[in-house]
Amino acid sequence: MEQIIKYFPKLSDNQIHQYEMLMDLYKDWNAKINVISRKDIDNLYEHHVLHSLAIAKAIGFKPGTEILDFGTGGGFPGIPLAIMFPECQFKLIDGTGKKILVATEVAKAVGLKNVVAEHLRGEDEKGHYDFVVSRAVMPLPDLVKIVRKNISKNQRNAMMNGVICLKGGNVEAEVQPYRRIVEVSDISQWFTEEWFREKNVIYLPLS
């Protein structure tokens, strides 16, 4: 939790409290429904919460921004981002009902009013959003094929509407089809922990 405060020193007391609640909630739910590797649950803040918040270093969403978290699993990156941006609206979708149950209950427990979670495949999502965020769900070209239909034409933010993904390792092949417009940002420029080496935020404008 210290890492969150270190990298985001302007959090309100309420936001700090919401982030602090996540460890016990995810440990409790993970004992019933495995949404995070049992070996990794103790690294929740670094490997899941802070990793999700790399997106908040890449872009500060304006109030009113609507964001779709595609393949959210147990709520990442959607729930950490929803705490960070309480004036934005988040829809979390996943094709696995048990994972959506966890995301729904965690959001409710920490008092998030700006989150809706639904058991839904990306192909069946009909809404329009400023941004689609995801965390290593599938190769970028496959993701783009599914979510292009969901990107709103109305611009609210300085960055054009599009897809923002968290990806590790060598991403050159994935971004090659979009090399003229894609932006790849190394997370190590924001977070100094060794775990973030070779992890990236990929931003692809699509509107």
Side-chain angles (χ1 to χ4, degrees):
M1 183 61 207
E2 295 81 11
Q3 293 161 307
I4 311 298
I5 295 168
K6 171 177 144 188
Y7 291 117
F8 297 94
K10 295 182 180 175
L11 294 171
S12 69
D13 289 345
N14 186 53
Q15 286 171 311
I16 291 169
H17 179 58
Q18 287 176 312
Y19 284 125
E20 283 175 342
M21 291 174 73
L22 294 180
M23 178 62 88
D24 286 345
L25 285 165
Y26 276 108
K27 276 192 169 176
D28 184 47
W29 275 106
N30 217 50
K32 306 173 209 167
I33 299 169
N34 194 17
V35 291
I36 294 168
S37 158
R38 296 273 153 80
K39 296 179 194 164
D40 206 31
I41 190 70
D42 289 334
N43 298 312
L44 177 78
Y45 286 111
E46 183 175 315
H47 295 182
H48 301 277
V49 179
L50 196 57
H51 190 210
S52 297
L53 292 175
I55 291 173
K57 290 293 189 184
I59 176 171
F61 296 117
K62 284 192 175 171
T65 299
E66 297 184 359
I67 298 136
L68 176 69
D69 180 0
F70 178 98
T72 189
F76 299 101
I79 286 176
L81 290 172
I83 295 172
M84 183 63 66
F85 298 104
E87 295 180 338
C88 298
Q89 298 301 312
F90 290 82
K91 181 169 183 182
L92 282 49
I93 63 170
D94 199 279
T96 305
K98 286 181 180 178
K99 292 180 178 178
I100 283 295
L101 172 64
V102 175
T104 300
E105 293 302 321
V106 169
K108 195 187 299 179
V110 300
L112 289 172
K113 306 278 193 256
N114 59 335
V115 169
V116 173
E118 188 175 351
H119 178 204
L120 192 69
R121 293 170 70 246
E123 291 84 350
D124 300 322
E125 172 58 54
K126 302 289 195 290
H128 293 99
Y129 303 87
D130 301 295
F131 295 96
V132 174
V133 298
S134 82
R135 197 164 76 133
V137 171
M138 61 179 63
L140 187 59
D142 296 340
L143 178 63
V144 169
K145 278 181 198 165
I146 296 171
V147 303
R148 190 182 281 278
K149 69 185 186 312
N150 302 114
I151 303 295
S152 171
K153 298 285 184 261
N154 300 320
Q155 296 290 332
R156 271 184 250 255
N157 292 267
M159 283 170 69
M160 280 182 65
N161 296 351
V163 169
I164 306 173
C165 294
L166 295 162
K167 293 261 184 186
N170 190 331
V171 296
E172 280 185 30
E174 282 191 56
V175 303
Q176 179 66 18
Y178 317 104
R179 63 191 178 282
R180 295 196 174 143
I181 54 170
V182 73
E183 292 178 21
V184 180
S185 302
D186 185 344
I187 294 177
S188 291
Q189 68 182 298
W190 302 306
F191 306 147
T192 57
E193 286 79 2
E194 181 73 18
W195 190 79
F196 292 107
R197 287 186 62 188
E198 297 186 10
K199 290 186 170 59
N200 308 286
V201 176
I202 298 173
Y203 163 59
L204 179 64
L206 279 181
S207 58

